[in-house]
mmCIF file of all heavy atoms in Angstrom:
data_model
loop_
_atom_site.group_PDB
_atom_site.id
_atom_site.type_symbol
_atom_site.label_atom_id
_atom_site.label_comp_id
_atom_site.label_asym_id
_atom_site.label_seq_id
_atom_site.Cartn_x
_atom_site.Cartn_y
_atom_site.Cartn_z
ATOM 1 N N GLY G 47 -11.549 -1.774 1.229
ATOM 2 C CA GLY G 47 -11.400 -2.945 2.080
ATOM 3 C C GLY G 47 -11.401 -4.275 1.353
ATOM 4 O O GLY G 47 -10.926 -5.281 1.880
ATOM 5 N N VAL G 48 -11.946 -4.293 0.136
ATOM 6 C CA VAL G 48 -11.985 -5.520 -0.670
ATOM 7 C C VAL G 48 -11.334 -5.212 -2.011
ATOM 8 O O VAL G 48 -11.826 -4.385 -2.770
ATOM 9 C CB VAL G 48 -13.429 -6.014 -0.902
ATOM 10 C CG1 VAL G 48 -13.433 -7.255 -1.794
ATOM 11 C CG2 VAL G 48 -14.139 -6.284 0.406
ATOM 12 N N ARG G 49 -10.236 -5.879 -2.274
ATOM 13 C CA ARG G 49 -9.560 -5.710 -3.572
ATOM 14 C C ARG G 49 -9.506 -7.061 -4.256
ATOM 15 O O ARG G 49 -9.162 -8.074 -3.650
ATOM 16 C CB ARG G 49 -8.169 -5.134 -3.364
ATOM 17 C CG ARG G 49 -8.250 -3.754 -2.732
ATOM 18 C CD ARG G 49 -6.943 -3.093 -2.645
ATOM 19 N NE ARG G 49 -7.092 -1.844 -1.882
ATOM 20 C CZ ARG G 49 -6.108 -1.233 -1.298
ATOM 21 N NH1 ARG G 49 -4.883 -1.728 -1.385
ATOM 22 N NH2 ARG G 49 -6.313 -0.126 -0.623
ATOM 23 N N LEU G 50 -9.867 -7.059 -5.521
ATOM 24 C CA LEU G 50 -9.944 -8.293 -6.283
ATOM 25 C C LEU G 50 -9.005 -8.242 -7.475
ATOM 26 O O LEU G 50 -8.821 -7.200 -8.089
ATOM 27 C CB LEU G 50 -11.375 -8.508 -6.794
ATOM 28 C CG LEU G 50 -12.488 -8.447 -5.748
ATOM 29 C CD1 LEU G 50 -13.840 -8.499 -6.423
ATOM 30 C CD2 LEU G 50 -12.342 -9.577 -4.751
ATOM 31 N N GLU G 51 -8.470 -9.390 -7.792
ATOM 32 C CA GLU G 51 -7.690 -9.554 -9.013
ATOM 33 C C GLU G 51 -8.332 -10.714 -9.767
ATOM 34 O O GLU G 51 -8.416 -11.825 -9.238
ATOM 35 C CB GLU G 51 -6.234 -9.867 -8.666
ATOM 36 C CG GLU G 51 -5.344 -10.012 -9.873
ATOM 37 C CD GLU G 51 -3.934 -10.365 -9.445
ATOM 38 O OE1 GLU G 51 -3.281 -9.513 -8.826
ATOM 39 O OE2 GLU G 51 -3.515 -11.508 -9.723
ATOM 40 N N ILE G 52 -8.787 -10.437 -10.958
ATOM 41 C CA ILE G 52 -9.501 -11.442 -11.736
ATOM 42 C C ILE G 52 -8.670 -11.768 -12.968
ATOM 43 O O ILE G 52 -8.374 -10.889 -13.778
ATOM 44 C CB ILE G 52 -10.885 -10.916 -12.167
ATOM 45 C CG1 ILE G 52 -11.684 -10.475 -10.938
ATOM 46 C CG2 ILE G 52 -11.638 -11.967 -12.968
ATOM 47 C CD1 ILE G 52 -12.861 -9.591 -11.251
ATOM 48 N N SER G 53 -8.272 -13.039 -13.092
ATOM 49 C CA SER G 53 -7.527 -13.439 -14.283
ATOM 50 C C SER G 53 -7.643 -14.939 -14.498
ATOM 51 O O SER G 53 -7.638 -15.718 -13.545
ATOM 52 C CB SER G 53 -6.052 -13.039 -14.175
ATOM 53 O OG SER G 53 -5.405 -13.784 -13.185
ATOM 54 N N ARG G 54 -7.773 -15.308 -15.741
ATOM 55 C CA ARG G 54 -7.840 -16.719 -16.163
ATOM 56 C C ARG G 54 -8.845 -17.536 -15.374
ATOM 57 O O ARG G 54 -8.579 -18.645 -14.955
ATOM 58 C CB ARG G 54 -6.461 -17.350 -16.060
ATOM 59 C CG ARG G 54 -5.464 -16.747 -16.998
ATOM 60 C CD ARG G 54 -4.201 -17.566 -17.033
ATOM 61 N NE ARG G 54 -3.124 -16.731 -17.520
ATOM 62 C CZ ARG G 54 -2.006 -16.509 -16.878
ATOM 63 N NH1 ARG G 54 -1.779 -17.096 -15.722
ATOM 64 N NH2 ARG G 54 -1.088 -15.727 -17.381
ATOM 65 N N GLY G 55 -10.000 -16.958 -15.134
ATOM 66 C CA GLY G 55 -11.061 -17.685 -14.458
ATOM 67 C C GLY G 55 -10.916 -17.793 -12.956
ATOM 68 O O GLY G 55 -11.683 -18.490 -12.318
ATOM 69 N N LEU G 56 -9.906 -17.129 -12.384
ATOM 70 C CA LEU G 56 -9.709 -17.151 -10.933
ATOM 71 C C LEU G 56 -9.908 -15.763 -10.345
ATOM 72 O O LEU G 56 -9.563 -14.769 -10.971
ATOM 73 C CB LEU G 56 -8.290 -17.595 -10.579
ATOM 74 C CG LEU G 56 -7.951 -19.059 -10.723
ATOM 75 C CD1 LEU G 56 -6.489 -19.289 -10.370
ATOM 76 C CD2 LEU G 56 -8.830 -19.917 -9.836
ATOM 77 N N VAL G 57 -10.436 -15.727 -9.137
ATOM 78 C CA VAL G 57 -10.569 -14.479 -8.398
ATOM 79 C C VAL G 57 -9.638 -14.570 -7.190
ATOM 80 O O VAL G 57 -9.759 -15.487 -6.377
ATOM 81 C CB VAL G 57 -12.022 -14.255 -7.918
ATOM 82 C CG1 VAL G 57 -12.119 -12.994 -7.088
ATOM 83 C CG2 VAL G 57 -12.970 -14.199 -9.087
ATOM 84 N N ASN G 58 -8.688 -13.643 -7.097
ATOM 85 C CA ASN G 58 -7.823 -13.538 -5.927
ATOM 86 C C ASN G 58 -8.334 -12.372 -5.097
ATOM 87 O O ASN G 58 -8.581 -11.293 -5.624
ATOM 88 C CB ASN G 58 -6.372 -13.325 -6.336
ATOM 89 C CG ASN G 58 -5.847 -14.522 -7.111
ATOM 90 O OD1 ASN G 58 -6.014 -15.654 -6.691
ATOM 91 N ND2 ASN G 58 -5.238 -14.269 -8.246
#
Side-chain angles (χ1 to χ4, degrees):
V48 178
R49 298 186 187 159
L50 307 173
E51 182 182 293
I52 304 163
S53 68
R54 295 190 201 124
L56 285 178
V57 177
N58 297 312

